[in-house]
Amino acid sequence: MNSMHYLYAAYIATWAIHGTYLVILARKYKKVRREMESLRK
Amino acid sequence: MKRGISILAVVTALLLSFALYEALIGAPTERTMGDVQRIFYYHVPSAWTAFLLFLINFIASIVYLIRRNPKTDILALVSAEVGVVFCTVVIVTGPIWARPVWGIWWAAGDIRLTTTLVLWLIYISYLVLRRFSTSGQTPVIAAVLAIFGALDVPLVYFSIWFFRTQHPSPVIGGGGSLDPRMAHVLLINWAAFLCLAWLVSWTRYRLEVVKREVEEAQALESLLEGSR
Amino acid sequence: MSFFAITRATLEKDIRLEWRSKDAVNAMLFFALLVVVIFSFAFDPTAEESRRIAGGLIWVAFLFAAVVALNQTWARELRNQVLDAYRVSPAPANPLFLAKALGNFIFVAILEALMTPLFIVFFKLRALGETWDLLPIALLGTWALVVNGTFFAAMSLRTRSREIMLPLLLFPISVPALLGMVNATSAVLSGEYSPRVWIALLLAYDVVFTIACLYLFETVLEAE
C-alpha cells in the first residue's frame, strides 16, 4: 500500500464522516416534517 | 435567516473546494514524509474546530446552569454533536497518517491524539446521557457532566504527558517549525472547516428548535385529547 | 444538626443496615475470590510477566468491584422516596452525598483488602519498591473512583439502562486517575521508578473532583 493510498483514505474518511452526519440530519428533518404535517390535521 | 444560511452554504462550498485544491496540489510537498503529510491539512484544522466547539459547549453549559435559558441548552447540544463529528475525523485521520509515517497505528504516549481520544469518549458519554435520560431536567444534568469533562481535561493532559516521560513514544502530529506556505494552506483549510462547522451547527440548531416546538405541540395535543 | 453530624448519622445507618443483612458480607467474600480466580484464568500468572502487568490487572479488578458496589448506591433511597424528601426540605444535600461516598469507599476498600492477598498468592507478587507507598495509592485511587462514581450514580438515576450509564460516564472521566493508580502501583511493584508524581496526580484529581461533586450535588439532586 503506497503512501498515496493513505492520503486518499484520510480525505475520503473525512468526507464520509461529515456525510454520514448530514444524512442523519436529513433523516431527522424528514421526521420532524412528517410530525408537523400530522399535527396540522 | 434563510438567506443567511444559503450564503454561508455557498461560501463554505467555495472555501472547501479551494482549500482542498491547495491541500492536495497548491501546497509544497514535505521533504521527509512526502505527500502523505497532506493529511495534516485535514487532521489539524479538524482538531482545532473540535476543540473550539467543545469550548463553546463548556461555556454554554455554565451559562445554562446560571440562566436556564432553553436556547442556551440547544447551543450546548449542537456544539457537542458537531464537535463529536469533527473529533471523530481527528481520531480517524490520526492513525491513517501515523501508519505510513511511523509504522504504527497508535502511540499510547502521543499526548495530543490520546487527549483527543479521551475528550471524544467524554463527549460521546455526554451525548448518550442526553439520549438515554428520562428526566425532565436532562439539560441540567448534561451541563454538569460537561463541567466535569472540562475539569478533567487538564488532568488528562498532564497524566499522559507524564506517562510519556516514562514511556517515550513518537509524536504523531509532528513537531517543529512550519514552512510559511504550508502554514498558509493550513489556515485556509481551517477557515473552510470553521465555515462548515458554522453551517452545520446553524442548520442543526434550527432543526432542534423546530423539533422541540413540535414535541411541545404533541404533548399539548395528547393532553387535550385525554380530556375529551 | 451540623454537616458532619448528619454525614456520620447517615453513614452509620447505612453500615448498620448492610451489616444486618449478613448476605451482603458473604456475597462480598465470594465476589472477591471469584474475581481473582477469573483473572488468574484469563491472565497466565508466570512471575516475570505478572509483575509488569499486575498493576493494571489489580486496578481493573478493583474498578469492576467498584462499579458493582456503585450501581446500588441509591437503590435504598429510591425505594423509600428519600431523595424526594431532600428535594423539598431546606436541608443541604451534601451530607447525604458525603455519607454515600464514604459508605461506598468503605465497601470497596473492604473488597480490595480481601482481593489483595488473593492476588498476591495467585500471581506470586512481591513489591520490589517501597511497599508502604501502596497504601496512599490504594486510598487515593479508591476515593477517585468512588467519589465520581457516587455522583454519576445519582446522575444516572433517571436514565434508561441505568447500570450501563454509570460505567459509561465514569470510565472516560476516570482516565487520569486510572493512569495514576496503575502506573503508581507498577512503579512500586517493579521498583524501577518513583510513584511520587503519580501519587501527586491522584491527590490533585481527588481534590478537584471532591470539590466539584460537593458543589454540584444539590444541582443534580434538584434536577432528578
Side-chain angles (χ1 to χ4, degrees), chain C residues 102-114:
Chain C
L102 285 170
N104 279 332
F105 182 78
I106 293 174
F107 187 84
V108 176
I110 294 177
L111 279 175
E112 292 176 2
L114 291 171

Side-chain angles (χ1 to χ4, degrees), chain C:
Chain C
M1 268 177 114
S2 83
F3 182 95
F4 284 113
I6 302 178
T7 306
R8 218 181 79 174
T10 315
L11 182 59
E12 281 173 0
K13 173 207 62 152
D14 271 343
I15 293 181
R16 222 178 315 129
L17 283 171
E18 286 298 337
W19 188 250
R20 287 231 191 93
S21 63
K22 289 286 192 331
D23 297 338
V25 179
N26 291 329
M28 268 201 268
L29 289 167
F30 189 56
F31 182 73
L33 178 64
L34 253 181
V35 171
V36 182
V37 168
I38 298 259
F39 268 69
S40 72
F41 283 139
F43 301 96
D44 181 28
T46 61
E48 262 338 291
E49 290 164 14
S50 67
R51 209 186 315 284
R52 257 190 304 119
I53 58 171
L57 281 181
I58 294 178
W59 278 106
V60 170
F62 288 174
L63 182 63
F64 182 39
V67 170
V68 169
L70 290 165
N71 263 325
Q72 53 76 52
T73 305
W74 301 102
R76 208 180 302 121
E77 274 69 23
L78 265 186
R79 271 200 307 270
N80 300 312
Q81 280 104 31
V82 169
L83 297 177
D84 291 327
Y86 264 95
R87 233 168 278 145
V88 292
S89 90
N94 279 340
L96 175 63
F97 174 78
L98 200 55
K100 280 292 168 185
L102 285 170
N104 279 332
F105 182 78
I106 293 174
F107 187 84
V108 176
I110 294 177
L111 279 175
E112 292 176 2
L114 291 171
M115 287 195 270
T116 305
L118 293 172
F119 260 114
I120 295 176
V121 165
F122 274 80
F123 284 80
K124 304 181 191 45
L125 294 179
R126 213 177 64 245
L128 294 178
E130 287 289 328
T131 318
W132 282 114
D133 275 346
L134 286 174
L135 194 59
I137 297 173
L139 292 173
L140 291 172
T142 308
W143 182 251
L145 293 177
V146 161
V147 73
N148 277 336
T150 309
F151 192 85
F152 292 149
M155 286 205 314
S156 314
L157 284 175
R158 295 264 174 91
T159 58
R160 305 198 300 267
S161 313
R162 195 183 308 159
E163 283 79 29
I164 271 291
M165 201 72 233
L166 170 62
L168 214 116
L169 295 177
L170 182 61
F171 290 176
I173 301 268
S174 301
V175 163
L178 284 168
L179 272 174
M181 295 174 225
V182 170
N183 284 297
T185 309
S186 299
V188 171
L189 288 179
S190 69
E192 275 161 28
Y193 46 94
S194 161
R196 213 165 312 131
V197 177
W198 290 115
I199 296 181
L201 171 68
L202 278 174
L203 185 61
Y205 185 96
D206 283 1
V207 167
V208 166
F209 282 104
T210 305
I211 295 177
C213 287
L214 286 173
Y215 191 70
L216 289 168
F217 182 68
E218 290 245 24
T219 309
V220 166
L221 189 63
E222 244 129 64
E224 278 297 343

Side-chain angles (χ1 to χ4, degrees), chain A residues 21 24 28, chain B residues 54 57 73-88 119-134 138 141-143 145-146 204 208 212, chain C residues 155 159-160 165 168-169 172:
Chain A
Y21 185 60
I24 293 175
K28 277 196 185 160
Chain B
F54 289 150
N57 168 275
D73 175 58
I74 299 182
L75 178 61
L77 170 62
V78 169
S79 53
E81 264 191 32
V82 183
V84 166
V85 174
F86 277 86
C87 206
T88 309
L119 202 53
W120 184 74
L121 289 172
I122 292 177
Y123 270 101
I124 299 254
S125 75
Y126 174 94
L127 292 177
V128 172
L129 176 68
R130 291 201 88 134
R131 175 70 64 96
F132 277 47
S133 174
T134 57
T138 307
I141 301 178
L145 182 61
R204 179 70 182 94
E208 186 67 22
R212 290 192 185 189
Chain C
M155 286 205 314
T159 58
R160 305 198 300 267
M165 201 72 233
L168 214 116
L169 295 177

